[in-house]
Amino acid sequence: MTLNDIIIASLTQLDRGHDAQTLDVWRDKLTRFADEAIADLALVIKPKRTDNVTVKHGVFSVNTLPRQCIKILSVSKDGNPVSFKEGNFSEEIFVPSLANSEHENASVTYIYIPGTLESGTDEPEIPKRYHSLIVCYVIARERGSGEVSLQRGSNIYFEMYEAGKRSIRPHFGGKDNYKLLNRW
């Protein structure tokens, strides 16, 4: 679903029109709610991506990654995994094997929070099967922020959202998520 699809589905469920003028009135508020839902779902889904970074004297900042990093899973140089640890500051990562080089490129695989939705054609960076949960969250937040007499209707949407969120399997994915490793 695109942002426009999410807003239109939400407005339809809220018994409001979805003409161009109504979309303009509700776009900012419902977009904020959608972004909140995406960030919340990302904490359960734990989406991964790999990006390149420049390591200077063995250090790089997680702030240079294109998405907000929650957890670094691996760092590799030329396809080979290298060890890493915390740097001197909370946003720094130290790669001991690259400490003697001035500039090196490395690949970082990390769990991230998806970017915010800006345009009406933007799609959330979570799997499509969870997009309907975003609509439930948006409706719940909008109903919960309205009149006291309408707030009662928000609890059912929050319950549907939470039930859908509980059904998400964070380990769903590649073979490395199902591998049993004997550490001893």
Side-chain angles (χ1 to χ4, degrees):
M1 297 178 92
T2 64
L3 175 59
N4 281 341
D5 295 337
I6 292 168
I7 292 172
I8 289 170
S10 301
L11 290 172
T12 302
Q13 287 287 324
L14 291 165
D15 292 327
R16 298 183 182 143
H18 53 271
D19 56 279
Q21 184 179 3
T22 306
L23 284 174
D24 287 341
V25 169
W26 292 101
R27 180 175 307 282
D28 290 340
K29 186 176 186 182
L30 299 185
T31 300
R32 279 195 317 273
F33 293 157
D35 286 336
E36 288 175 14
I38 293 165
D40 186 47
L41 290 170
L43 295 176
V44 177
I45 296 168
K46 299 179 182 171
K48 294 188 285 187
R49 68 182 279 149
T50 302
D51 289 308
N52 293 324
V53 294
T54 301
V55 181
K56 297 177 184 176
H57 302 290
V59 176
F60 72 91
S61 172
V62 294
N63 295 335
T64 62
L65 295 168
R67 295 286 182 264
Q68 181 182 350
C69 177
I70 295 176
K71 179 180 180 179
I72 294 184
L73 302 174
S74 67
V75 178
S76 60
K77 172 72 177 132
D78 298 327
N80 299 316
V82 294
S83 64
F84 63 94
K85 59 183 181 178
E86 292 179 20
N88 293 333
F89 301 100
S90 60
E91 71 274 355
E92 284 185 351
I93 301 297
F94 179 63
V95 184
S97 62
L98 302 177
N100 295 329
S101 58
E102 194 169 321
H103 287 1
E104 289 286 339
N105 289 326
S107 295
V108 178
T109 301
Y110 61 102
I111 297 173
Y112 68 97
I113 296 287
T116 58
L117 301 173
E118 304 289 330
S119 167
T121 58
D122 288 350
E123 287 192 26
E125 294 177 14
I126 60 173
K128 290 182 188 280
R129 62 184 167 272
Y130 304 124
H131 288 188
S132 61
L133 292 176
I134 298 169
V135 175
C136 287
Y137 184 86
V138 169
I139 295 167
R141 283 296 309 271
E142 175 53 28
R143 285 198 176 196
S145 66
E147 286 182 31
V148 176
S149 62
L150 296 176
Q151 287 179 358
R152 288 184 48 144
S154 69
N155 64 348
I156 189 69
Y157 287 99
F158 274 127
E159 287 175 16
M160 289 188 320
Y161 173 75
E162 289 298 328
K165 196 167 86 168
R166 280 191 303 273
S167 71
I168 294 173
R169 301 187 192 284
H171 65 278
F172 186 72
K175 291 182 181 179
D176 60 332
N177 290 327
Y178 298 99
K179 214 186 312 184
L180 296 175
L181 299 175
N182 186 356
R183 293 180 155 177
W184 295 275

